[in-house]
């Protein structure tokens, strides 16, 4: 047998490495938390505290993880152990804590020592690593959970805190996750916004100190800042290059995510429920479970990180993420509050004429004593308005069925107008300060979902709709008000702390949604909050889709949808064609197609050509929707760097793709795409033919559709969609040539 010298040397080297590792592990416990590509390494120190020693791409040789800690010389006199896996406060730690507790005797100190580690294998793709830490004096038990989705390279992290004292303890700060990163520089991208202008990215080089993203709005937490972020390591990542972390907190309430560059220039990240006004009392032996912090890492750019998160969301989080969706016609912008049965029945026919699957009846269908004819009255009184709808919802469902279209309905069950029967009957169900003037947003207030009776009431609203009208096929669940005057008469009455309101509200909401889903597991529901005021993976467990923005101006939408696409799969985004802007119907439609398409227009106002185009567009959408809903997204050209944007969805076997190209400026420019746009995600060895779809009647393509290209060519050279003033949006279908 021939001696392989290389193999021999390798064996000798790994023997010595293992020897060294054994020496180190004589006192250290090393916990590798791995996905297919990445690793998060935890290790105990000499004092049995738990540290994070590594985060990044996996090492080839896992035995070498034990050597990591020795490389870190960052513990000068215990000024602070910056890379602690869950930093407590009041003892040795002098930096921003993840955990802060007032113990039953008033003492403010907590220390956490490693006790044990467990790895539960759920299936071939999912594992739950859990690490138990304990305070040696008070016995407080903290369990850190790291759920790994191996192929998606996603980690879902949360913690539980258990009170082992005889008396109650108060949690001051109780983060979901505490992470530590070591690199040269850190570029944070946050997404700020407001009504009608959601998801604006802003990138900053993090400097020393703490930068935090947070919300104190309660029910519409994301109105000003979305609970999502990206961190590029070393230098700003691009779609195809660079080290990038995408993260988000799965919590539909106040959140806080802190990014601290410590004195050694490491990055500490603490994410969780916002401690603002939220001290939480925990009685003896009770446990608090934090929401999940969800993150994914790629060293190959933002595109790959996004696709990982999308796959995770479709496979594991978004309700019916791998299923299908209904195209629809909504009546909000076409009628607002002004409709009756006859008008609606005509709209059913319009929806059918367009070819969509469902008609969605929006706000204004309910309340009698204080009819819901505008947004000043009626919210809370969920009986059909007898004047507008004398025959009730059941009748509408039947009429829609006769017209050959499904029927869906809008509700806003967490809210109440002071001018309503509900408010008259149950003022104690409303969140408000007893001694102070009420403060309204859109003339309404928030119901107190900490109260089990209110939870029952909200559940009943939905149960009545589905129970009485079994054919209701869809719900749009809105939430238009933030919490002002945060105070609960229920918490008061039951002797609980007011500071639990923000947290218990969200828990109450989830309890209701849980009940709805156990009784009605499949019915599609849209999450809406005057647009994207409440979008997160806590809520999306119960919803099939969300409304990204009330702003449906298609150029604005090209940006808004682009930015949501970093974190959410296209199947979750409801994009409607409306009359919000005067841009032509083709452009609007092409933009709406890059997600879940719907309409909110007056169909009878469409010209003959526009109608013809729209009817064909619904068919064109039906033929590409599979790619958009379940394919992999490649963002080809950013609207922030070009006068156009271009995105592509490719199916798993790389045989079919659809490409959306939109001009985003009205500046004079003869040809917006003088050079081709490089495609991605194809098979370099396959041959493809490209055709233009969704053309406006009477126009023809300027592209040569007879040409056949290799995937290699399309990914190295590209394809030119020929965007110009006459062709401001172009949809391309890419099909593999039969061999
Ligand atoms: C919110 C929603 C809109 C519409 C109105 C109805 O603003 O975002 O789509 O449903 O409420 O009042």
């Amino acid at each position: 047998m021939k001696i392989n010298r290389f193999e021999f040397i390798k064996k000798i080297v790994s023997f010595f490495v293992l020897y060294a590792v054994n020496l180190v592990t004589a006192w250290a416990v090393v916990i590798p938390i791995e996905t297919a590509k990445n690793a998060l390494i935890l290790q105990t120190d000499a004092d049995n505290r738990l540290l994070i020693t590594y985060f990044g791409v996996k090492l080839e040789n896992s035995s070498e993880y034990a050597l990591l800690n020795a490389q870190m010389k960052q513990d000068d006199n215990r000024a602070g152990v910056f890379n602690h896996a869950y930093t407590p406060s009041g003892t040795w730690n002098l930096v921003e804590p993840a955990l802060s507790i007032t113990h039953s005797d008033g003492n403010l100190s907590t220390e956490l020592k490693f006790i044990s580690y467990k790895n539960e294998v759920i299936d071939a793709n999912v594992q739950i690593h859990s690490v138990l830490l304990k305070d040696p004096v008070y016995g407080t038990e903290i369990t850190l959970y790291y759920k790994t989705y191996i192929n998606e390279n996603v980690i879902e992290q949360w913690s539980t805190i258990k009170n082992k004292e005889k008396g109650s303890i108060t949690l001051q700060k109780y983060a979901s996750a505490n992470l530590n990163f070591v690199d040269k520089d850190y570029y944070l991208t946050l997404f700020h916004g407001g009504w009608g202008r959601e998801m604006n990215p802003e990138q900053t080089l993090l400097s020393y100190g703490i930068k935090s993203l947070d919300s104190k709005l309660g029910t519409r937490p994301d109105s000003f800042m979305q609970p999502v972020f990206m961190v590029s390591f070393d230098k700003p990542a691009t779609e195809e290059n660079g080290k990038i972390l995408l993260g988000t907190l799965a919590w539909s309430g106040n959140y806080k995510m802190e990014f601290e560059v410590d004195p050694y220039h490491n990055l500490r990240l603490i994410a969780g429920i916002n401690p603002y006004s939220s001290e939480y009392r925990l009685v003896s032996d009770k446990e608090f479970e934090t929401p999940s912090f969800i993150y994914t890492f790629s060293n190959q750019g933002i595109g790959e990180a996004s696709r990982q998160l999308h796959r995770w969301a479709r496979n594991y989080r978004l309700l019916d993420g791998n299923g299908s969706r209904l195209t629809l016609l909504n009546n909000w912008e076409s009628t607002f509050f002004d409709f009756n049965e006859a008008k609606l029945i005509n709209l059913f026919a319009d929806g059918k004429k367009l070819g969509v699957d469902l008609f969605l009846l929006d706000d204004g269908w309910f309340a009698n004593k204080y009819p819901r004819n505008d947004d000043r009255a009626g919210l809370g009184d969920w009986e059909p308005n007898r004047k507008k709808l004398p025959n009730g919802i059941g009748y509408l469902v039947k009429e829609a069925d006769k017209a050959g279209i499904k029927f869906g309905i809008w509700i806003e069950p967490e809210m109440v107008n002071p001018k309503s029967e509900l408010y008259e009957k149950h003022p104690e169900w409303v969140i408000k300060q007893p001694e102070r003037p009420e403060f309204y947003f859109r003339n309404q207030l928030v119901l107190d979902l900490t109260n089990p009776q209110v939870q029952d009431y909200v559940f009943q609203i939905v149960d009545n709709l589905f129970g009485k009208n079994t054919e209701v096929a869809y719900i749009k669940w809105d939430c238009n008000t933030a919490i002002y005057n945060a105070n609960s008469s229920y918490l008061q009455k039951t002797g609980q702390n007011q500071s639990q309101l923000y947290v218990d509200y969200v828990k109450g909401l989830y309890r209701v949604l849980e009940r709805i889903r156990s009784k009605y597991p499949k019915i599609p529901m849209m999450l809406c909050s005057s647009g994207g005021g409440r979008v997160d993976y806590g809520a999306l467990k119960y919803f099939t889709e969300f409304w990204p923005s009330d702003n449906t101006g298609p150029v604005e939408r090209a940006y808004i949808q682009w930015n949501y696409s970093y974190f959410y799969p296209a199947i979750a985004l409801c994009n409607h064609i409306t009359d919000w802007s005067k841009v032509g119907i083709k452009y609007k439609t092409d933009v709406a197609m890059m997600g879940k398409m719907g309409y909110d227009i007056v169909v009878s106002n469409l010209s003959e050509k526009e109608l013809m185009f729209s009817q064909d567009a619904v068919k064109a959408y039906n033929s590409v929707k599979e790619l958009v809903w379940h394919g992999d997204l490649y963002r080809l050209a950013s609207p922030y760097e070009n006068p156009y944007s271009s995105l592509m969805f490719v199916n798993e076997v790389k045989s079919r793709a659809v490409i959306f190209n939109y001009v985003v400026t009205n500046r004079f420019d003869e040809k917006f795409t003088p050079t081709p746009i490089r495609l991605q995600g194809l098979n370099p060895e396959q041959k493809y033919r490209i055709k233009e779809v969704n053309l406006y009647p009477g126009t023809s393509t300027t592209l040569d559709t007879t040409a056949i290209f290799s995937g290699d060519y399309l990914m190295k050279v590209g394809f030119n969609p020929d965007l110009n003033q006459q062709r401001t949006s172009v949809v391309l279908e890419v099909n593999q040539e039969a061999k």
Side-chain angles (χ1 to χ4, degrees):
M1 198 175 79
K2 217 172 147 198
I3 298 170
N4 182 334
R5 274 181 62 199
F6 177 68
E7 278 301 312
F8 179 69
I9 294 168
K10 225 172 117 186
K11 280 213 165 97
I12 297 275
V13 170
S14 66
F15 173 79
F16 281 109
V17 168
L18 266 177
Y19 181 69
V21 167
N22 284 336
L23 277 184
V24 178
T25 47
W27 51 262
V29 177
V30 180
I31 304 171
I33 293 166
E34 294 181 318
T35 62
K37 292 189 176 171
N38 306 319
L40 165 67
I41 306 300
L42 307 174
Q43 181 175 322
T44 54
D45 68 5
D47 292 319
N48 214 23
R49 297 188 184 112
L50 191 67
L51 310 178
I52 297 174
T53 50
Y54 183 75
F55 182 95
V57 282
K58 252 174 162 170
L59 299 186
E60 285 290 316
N61 190 345
S62 61
S63 59
E64 288 182 316
Y65 288 131
L67 302 173
L68 291 162
N69 200 32
Q71 300 298 319
M72 300 294 281
K73 309 287 181 202
Q74 302 193 348
D75 59 351
D76 51 352
N77 293 327
R78 300 247 151 79
V81 177
F82 300 114
N83 59 337
H84 200 279
Y86 198 69
T87 341
S89 59
T91 46
W92 49 268
N93 166 42
L94 301 177
V95 291
E96 185 60 34
L99 178 72
S100 204
I101 298 176
T102 307
H103 293 281
S104 54
D105 60 2
N107 190 288
L108 296 173
S109 69
T110 302
E111 165 67 301
L112 297 176
K113 298 280 184 156
F114 172 80
I115 301 292
S116 60
Y117 161 70
K118 201 169 83 190
N119 183 17
E120 191 190 340
V121 177
I122 308 288
D123 58 36
N125 194 45
V126 184
Q127 301 186 0
I128 300 179
H129 303 260
S130 56
V131 189
L132 177 64
L133 310 174
K134 197 170 179 157
D135 183 295
V137 175
Y138 289 99
T140 324
E141 287 179 359
I142 311 296
T143 309
L144 306 179
Y145 291 91
Y146 303 83
K147 189 169 182 182
T148 51
Y149 300 87
I150 296 169
N151 291 325
E152 292 78 12
N153 291 298
V154 166
I155 300 181
E156 180 180 357
Q157 186 176 342
W158 72 97
S159 340
T160 57
I161 302 155
K162 192 164 188 181
N163 176 10
K164 300 299 283 181
E165 296 171 45
K166 285 210 179 75
S168 297
I169 63 172
T170 304
L171 308 181
Q172 308 289 349
K173 188 171 184 187
Y174 34 103
S176 303
N178 184 171
L179 289 166
N180 187 71
F181 308 95
V182 179
D183 221 307
K184 193 174 146 286
D185 282 313
Y186 314 96
Y187 292 83
L188 172 71
T189 308
L190 56 83
F191 294 82
H192 66 93
W195 180 80
R197 49 181 187 87
E198 287 83 350
M199 288 296 275
N200 301 287
E202 185 184 76
Q203 189 177 71
T204 13
L205 169 65
L206 289 172
S207 61
Y208 290 97
I210 302 182
K211 165 87 185 166
S212 35
L213 316 182
D214 83 334
S215 167
K216 303 182 185 72
L217 292 147
T219 33
R220 294 187 42 183
D222 314 335
S223 301
F224 302 141
M225 181 82 76
Q226 293 282 336
V228 292
F229 69 86
M230 299 189 212
V231 173
S232 289
F233 299 96
D234 202 11
K235 52 181 186 273
T238 63
E239 283 295 324
E240 290 170 88
N241 287 299
K243 290 181 280 182
I244 184 91
L245 177 81
L246 300 189
T248 180
L249 192 76
W251 182 243
S252 312
N254 294 347
Y255 64 86
K256 187 163 195 171
M257 301 194 276
E258 295 163 284
F259 302 82
E260 178 174 15
V261 177
D262 75 20
Y264 286 108
H265 207 75
N266 307 319
L267 175 64
R268 304 183 65 244
L269 165 57
I270 298 172
I273 289 174
N274 195 341
Y276 162 77
S277 244
S278 293
E279 298 90 36
Y280 208 92
R281 193 165 72 201
L282 215 51
V283 297
S284 180
D285 228 33
K286 274 273 175 282
E287 188 173 272
F288 184 92
E289 184 175 306
T290 72
S292 297
F293 176 61
I294 292 154
Y295 51 103
T296 187
F297 174 79
S298 168
N299 68 344
Q300 280 160 44
I302 308 167
E304 183 177 85
S306 275
R307 287 186 290 280
Q308 293 177 167
L309 202 53
H310 294 169
R311 270 184 228 128
W312 169 82
R314 288 194 303 259
N315 292 340
Y316 295 103
R317 184 50 60 106
L318 180 71
L319 191 83
D320 202 19
N322 289 313
S324 66
R325 297 292 186 269
L326 301 166
T327 52
L328 57 82
L329 172 67
N330 189 191
N331 70 313
W332 175 240
E333 288 192 26
S334 62
T335 65
F336 292 103
F337 297 92
D338 180 21
F339 54 80
N340 55 28
E341 272 172 0
K343 219 173 187 178
L344 293 180
I345 289 168
N346 278 335
L347 294 180
F348 300 161
D350 284 347
K352 183 66 190 169
K353 207 194 280 173
L354 268 180
V356 294
D357 304 315
L358 176 122
F359 175 81
L360 170 60
L361 174 59
D362 215 284
D363 197 355
W365 59 267
F366 49 90
N368 286 295
K369 184 171 175 190
Y370 303 107
R372 181 76 172 166
N373 292 329
D374 53 42
D375 62 18
R376 288 192 294 270
L379 208 52
D381 302 343
W382 297 100
E383 282 302 317
N385 178 278
R386 285 187 291 274
K387 211 161 155 206
K388 288 185 201 174
L389 308 175
N391 296 301
I393 299 301
Y395 171 76
L396 290 178
V397 174
K398 282 201 193 87
E399 286 301 310
D401 190 49
K402 269 195 224 157
I405 197 163
K406 292 179 196 293
F407 181 87
I409 200 159
W410 177 97
I411 51 172
E412 194 181 0
E414 300 158 75
M415 307 284 159
V416 63
N417 282 127
K419 216 168 152 193
S420 68
E421 288 184 80
L422 180 68
Y423 186 94
E424 288 174 348
K425 220 160 122 200
H426 287 295
E428 80 286 4
W429 282 8
V430 177
I431 293 177
K432 56 183 183 150
Q433 293 290 353
E435 303 297 333
R436 297 184 194 278
E438 289 177 2
F439 196 84
Y440 309 123
F441 184 94
R442 212 193 187 208
N443 312 300
Q444 61 193 54
L445 294 163
V446 182
L447 292 177
D448 181 5
L449 270 176
T450 68
N451 184 339
Q453 280 183 315
V454 178
Q455 293 168 18
D456 286 346
Y457 168 81
V458 172
F459 172 75
Q460 282 306 326
I461 296 167
V462 178
D463 198 31
N464 281 345
L465 279 170
F466 289 146
K468 280 193 199 152
N469 315 287
T470 41
E471 302 300 314
V472 166
Y474 185 91
I475 278 192
K476 174 177 176 185
W477 181 305
D478 215 334
C479 165
N480 287 311
T481 304
I483 296 181
Y484 294 106
N485 280 331
N487 184 75
S488 151
S489 55
Y490 173 76
L491 290 176
Q492 191 74 27
K493 206 172 71 192
T494 51
Q496 301 181 68
N497 290 342
Q498 286 300 335
S499 59
Q500 295 186 188
L501 172 58
Y502 288 123
V503 174
D504 285 351
Y505 184 95
V506 181
K507 287 185 172 184
L509 173 67
Y510 289 166
R511 225 166 274 142
V512 173
L513 290 166
E514 208 53 67
R515 272 174 82 186
I516 292 172
R517 282 314 181 189
S518 62
K519 193 157 175 192
Y520 307 102
K522 283 248 144 72
I523 292 175
M525 294 208 299
M526 181 209 288
L527 175 65
C528 175
S529 181
S530 319
R534 182 168 66 183
V535 186
D536 62 83
Y537 280 121
L540 286 176
K541 208 170 159 181
Y542 309 102
F543 290 85
T544 47
E545 53 219 75
F546 69 90
W547 184 231
S549 177
D550 276 353
N551 186 341
T552 45
V555 177
E556 289 301 314
R557 271 298 186 119
Y559 287 88
I560 293 173
Q561 294 166 192
W562 174 275
N563 289 314
Y564 275 115
S565 86
Y566 289 121
F567 304 94
Y568 301 101
I571 190 171
L573 269 82
C574 301
N575 305 334
H576 293 180
I577 297 141
T578 76
D579 289 327
W580 176 295
S581 104
K582 294 291 156 246
V583 173
I585 189 119
K586 159 137 174 84
Y587 189 104
K588 290 178 189 175
T589 309
D590 289 352
V591 171
M593 275 192 177
M594 65 168 277
K596 210 218 85 171
M597 186 171 88
Y599 288 85
D600 195 347
I601 49 168
V602 185
V603 177
S604 54
N605 286 352
L606 294 177
S607 70
E608 206 180 308
K609 262 192 181 172
E610 284 172 337
L611 178 63
M612 201 198 296
F613 166 76
S614 302
Q615 289 166 327
D616 287 346
V618 174
K619 290 186 198 124
Y621 180 70
N622 286 338
S623 82
V624 297
K625 67 188 184 190
E626 185 57 31
L627 296 164
V628 176
W629 293 351
H630 306 128
D632 270 330
L633 168 68
Y634 293 84
R635 285 174 295 261
L636 305 178
S638 163
Y640 292 94
E641 292 159 13
N642 302 281
Y644 57 89
S645 100
S646 180
L647 312 97
M648 172 175 183
F649 294 90
V650 187
N651 68 358
E652 208 181 335
V653 293
K654 302 174 185 298
S655 62
R656 256 189 107 206
V658 59
I659 308 172
F660 297 100
N661 306 279
Y662 317 117
V663 168
V664 291
T665 169
N666 56 10
R667 291 191 65 187
F668 176 79
D669 205 344
E670 233 171 56
K671 279 216 177 292
F672 288 95
T673 43
T675 53
I677 300 172
R678 267 192 327 104
L679 308 192
Q680 293 179 48
L682 298 174
N683 179 345
E685 270 138 42
Q686 279 304 338
K687 296 271 191 283
Y688 297 93
R689 196 189 285 269
I690 298 186
K691 70 171 181 200
E692 183 171 356
V693 294
N694 219 29
L695 285 158
Y696 197 71
T699 64
S700 51
T701 186
T702 58
L703 308 172
D704 172 11
T705 47
T706 59
I708 294 173
F709 305 92
S710 68
D712 177 62
Y713 175 93
L714 291 170
M715 294 194 291
K716 284 180 180 155
V717 178
F719 185 82
N720 196 325
D722 190 22
L723 294 171
N724 59 46
Q725 288 98 330
Q726 281 71 49
R727 294 167 54 79
T728 52
S729 75
V730 171
V731 183
L732 303 170
E733 207 183 296
V734 183
N735 284 299
Q736 183 184 307
E737 275 291 289
K739 278 187 196 145

